Amino acid sequence: MRLDLTSDLVTLLQAIVDVESVSGNERELADMVEEALRSHGHLEVTRDGDCVIARTDFGRDQRVVIAGHLDTVPVADNLPSHLEQAPDGLRVVGRGTCDMKGGVAVQLQLAAELTDPNRDITWIFYDHEEVGAELNGLRRIAENSPQLLEADFAVLMEPTNAQIEGGCQGTCRIRITVPGKASHSARSWLGHNAIHALSDVLDRLNAYDAQEIDVEGLTFREGMNAVSVSGGVASNIIPPSAIIDVNYRYAPDKSPDDALVELRRVFHGYSFELTDMAPGARPGLDREIAKSFVDSVGSTPKPKYGWTDVARFSALGIPAVNYGPADPSLAHTDNEYCPADQLDTCANGLRRWLKITEEA
């Protein structure tokens, strides 16, 4: 099967959704995307593993990256896709429609259509977003061919309900191990119950005053929460140790080092193991190019709650936003879908921003 990039967005979305591309199995879809893009002479197409990069090179004053991932989480009896008429309009239903092949369909249509854009564009279709960061296609490109990511601004087409979500929160996970002393539960006074001792850590979390922090006009709400607890040996033994994992979602005004300082403050007196750290991304909405994007899209920017690959662009000094069709709360659900009208909204917003107008 070949992709027709001139087809309407609903048809194009169904075509790419029906090619199963669970993380690690992106090859078939990547091949189809590469073949379709190579047929358009205004694009220079590069392949890195199962990542496809298509660039214009007209010598424009500015370059933007527009990126989306090809992979999905595992299928749950939700392929092939189908259409559903809902009270609010037509929906495309199936694995990946929301996260994030709706955005990929918009990218593909515009990559073919915009043969004379007002800015040079780097279109990126990457692999392994839904799995460990060490496999992420954007990370691989940054290491192998960083020049391909150079840009003045980036748009990541993660689902946002066709609204602009600027930057993203940073995320950090730590593990606190609380010691105890084992004894027979019939003689509990001879031991020290580590699970009971977790109460102090939980009290600190319950008392934590989550901050709302303004970053470039967007208000990010932080959060610090226990996300797992484990401990115990047997039903007749006082637990000799207990473990609690804590996730801290922090505003992008903080660096990873700042986040660790805050965790050490909250858990003063405890040692902990850092198990995961990903920096946030400032929105960059104070840049002129970002302002032009906001004006063209006509959306009031909101903060991105959660972490996305915009942070990878931010780390390279490229301001980035999330902007794509579908409700992000449906991502990874068995009944995920993408509203047809949001496909058109995102395509038209990007088209207004990137197309040379008759007056220009």
Side-chain angles (χ1 to χ4, degrees):
M1 186 179 74
R2 302 182 68 176
L3 294 177
D4 179 5
L5 305 190
T6 64
S7 62
D8 66 90
L9 283 168
V10 168
T11 301
L12 181 55
L13 174 55
Q14 285 199 274
I16 61 177
V17 166
D18 290 345
V19 180
E20 183 265 295
S21 57
V22 174
S23 302
N25 195 35
E26 300 95 331
R27 180 63 50 85
E28 181 182 1
L29 182 55
D31 288 345
M32 293 170 63
V33 168
E34 179 183 11
E35 179 186 28
L37 293 173
R38 284 194 184 278
S39 68
H40 295 275
H42 65 287
L43 297 172
E44 298 175 358
V45 180
T46 304
R47 182 77 176 256
D48 184 311
D50 288 331
C51 176
V52 182
I53 305 101
R55 305 170 79 248
T56 67
D57 192 11
F58 295 112
R60 306 294 194 229
D61 292 337
Q62 295 177 326
R63 175 173 293 278
V64 299
V65 166
I66 302 179
H69 62 82
L70 299 175
D71 62 320
T72 73
V73 296
V75 176
D77 196 28
N78 50 6
L79 284 182
S81 63
H82 66 274
L83 301 180
E84 179 179 285
Q85 188 65 51
D88 58 350
L90 185 67
R91 298 171 174 176
V92 185
V93 184
R95 174 59 78 219
T97 51
C98 168
D99 189 13
M100 59 170 291
K101 290 183 177 180
V104 170
V106 172
Q107 287 181 261
L108 286 169
Q109 186 186 77
L110 293 182
E113 174 190 330
L114 297 176
T115 59
D116 190 25
N118 57 23
R119 298 168 171 87
D120 273 314
I121 309 169
T122 301
W123 303 96
I124 299 178
F125 306 86
Y126 64 103
D127 58 292
H128 286 90
E129 191 272 347
E130 299 288 6
V131 288
E134 69 279 2
L135 298 174
N136 187 288
L138 277 183
R139 175 178 177 173
R140 190 177 64 249
I141 297 169
E143 294 174 350
N144 295 346
S145 306
Q147 71 280 3
L148 294 178
L149 296 183
E150 293 176 358
D152 299 287
F153 191 69
V155 178
L156 185 66
M157 299 206 67
E158 286 281 358
T160 63
N161 262 328
Q163 302 293 311
I164 297 171
E165 293 183 344
C168 72
Q169 293 171 305
T171 182
C172 175
R173 280 189 290 275
I174 62 168
R175 174 165 292 173
I176 300 173
T177 300
V178 177
K181 180 183 177 182
S183 71
H184 197 294
S185 60
R187 302 174 183 84
S188 59
W189 61 89
L190 298 178
H192 176 66
N193 193 312
I195 291 179
H196 292 186
L198 287 177
S199 62
D200 178 56
V201 175
L202 293 171
D203 285 344
R204 297 188 192 198
L205 287 170
N206 282 323
Y208 185 71
D209 184 18
Q211 301 295 302
E212 293 187 359
I213 298 174
D214 183 275
V215 182
E216 297 172 13
L218 302 183
T219 302
F220 289 83
R221 181 177 174 84
E222 297 192 329
M224 189 180 295
N225 293 278
V227 291
S228 71
V229 172
S230 61
V233 178
S235 61
N236 60 353
I237 298 175
I238 296 301
S241 67
I243 294 171
I244 184 167
D245 291 308
V246 175
N247 183 207
Y248 178 33
R249 298 284 177 153
Y250 57 94
D253 66 320
K254 292 183 176 65
S255 68
D257 285 343
D258 294 332
L260 289 173
V261 168
E262 176 68 355
L263 286 162
R264 292 189 186 103
R265 182 190 69 80
V266 174
F267 298 111
H268 177 73
Y270 290 92
S271 60
F272 56 75
E273 174 191 0
L274 178 64
T275 59
D276 182 59
M277 176 68 82
R282 299 184 70 93
L285 294 173
D286 54 344
R287 310 280 185 92
E288 286 303 317
I289 190 170
K291 292 177 181 177
S292 71
F293 174 73
V294 172
D295 289 344
S296 296
V297 168
S299 165
T300 300
K302 301 176 181 179
K304 180 63 177 180
Y305 291 117
W307 188 92
T308 72
D309 275 323
V310 296
R312 299 189 187 279
F313 293 109
S314 182
L316 296 171
I318 304 168
V321 297
N322 305 275
Y323 176 65
D327 182 347
S329 68
L330 294 172
H332 301 185
T333 63
D334 292 349
N335 63 334
E336 65 175 298
Y337 64 84
C338 181
D341 64 337
Q342 290 194 15
L343 292 169
D344 292 328
T345 296
C346 288
N348 289 333
L350 288 168
R351 190 177 284 117
R352 286 191 297 270
W353 184 49
L354 297 168
K355 193 171 184 178
I356 294 177
T357 63
E358 294 181 1
E359 293 79 13

